[in-house]
Amino acid sequence: MKQMNRFNRKVQKIIEAFLCIASVIMLAVNLAQVLFRYIFHAGILWSEELSTYLYVWIIFFSLYAACRERNELNIAVISFKSPKKMKIVSIIREFLGLITCMALLAGSILMIQNALAYPQKTASLKIITAYLYFCMPVSFALLSWVKAVNIIQDILDLSGTEKPESSDIGGEPES
């Protein structure tokens, strides 16, 4: 588990750096668009398209952090007082999430293959749309990884064979 947690922390740092850079670029482009529109009375043609694509990438890569911290949106349909029963429910939920992520991963790969077979370029940036779709399989692969790690952690917690380092799978070890 320690190696997996170390890997998760490294991936998290890379994703956080990407999210910061993408957010700053998106903010700068939108600010420039507003300034150009109101000061020079001429907009930047490609700003909205770039902002939209960056926003989509930010959302897809933010999913990793949410799942890693177990902060996904969920509705408690079944609740038990017993922590062991709740851990079993958590394992089932994570397993269903893993199956969903793997199905979405397969679907996104097929979508990229189709987009590469019939390439289209975006309206103003002239980027082949298939390249913009690459955020999906990368994100779903990372989500599948996190779901698998969560399942392993829950099973270890349930069996009591390994004491977790901290409350989340990627957190710093307690000192």
Side-chain angles (χ1 to χ4, degrees), residues 25-40 42-44 46-47:
I25 291 171
M26 190 170 69
L27 177 69
V29 166
N30 286 332
L31 180 63
Q33 167 67 357
V34 170
L35 291 175
F36 272 72
R37 192 171 354 138
Y38 288 107
I39 294 174
F40 302 114
I44 303 171
W46 47 266
S47 66

Side-chain angles (χ1 to χ4, degrees), residues 131-144:
Y131 300 148
L132 300 171
Y133 300 153
F134 274 99
C135 65
M136 290 186 284
V138 172
S139 176
F140 293 135
L142 288 171
L143 290 173
S144 297

Side-chain angles (χ1 to χ4, degrees), residues 24-101:
V24 167
I25 291 171
M26 190 170 69
L27 177 69
V29 166
N30 286 332
L31 180 63
Q33 167 67 357
V34 170
L35 291 175
F36 272 72
R37 192 171 354 138
Y38 288 107
I39 294 174
F40 302 114
H41 302 290
I44 303 171
L45 298 176
W46 47 266
S47 66
E48 183 179 353
E49 193 172 293
L50 179 64
S51 293
T52 301
Y53 297 139
L54 284 173
Y55 188 63
V56 169
W57 278 67
I58 288 169
I59 289 170
F60 271 99
F61 284 103
S62 295
L63 290 171
Y64 174 81
C67 288
R68 184 178 160 270
E69 301 294 328
R70 297 187 187 221
N71 286 331
E72 316 96 307
L73 181 63
N74 60 55
I75 299 172
V77 177
I78 299 174
S79 183
F80 297 105
K81 290 183 180 179
S82 166
K84 281 193 173 194
K85 289 181 181 178
M86 287 307 296
K87 193 59 80 171
I88 291 170
V89 170
S90 176
I91 292 169
I92 294 168
R93 185 183 65 234
E94 292 290 335
F95 182 73
L96 293 172
L98 174 62
I99 291 171
T100 303
C101 288

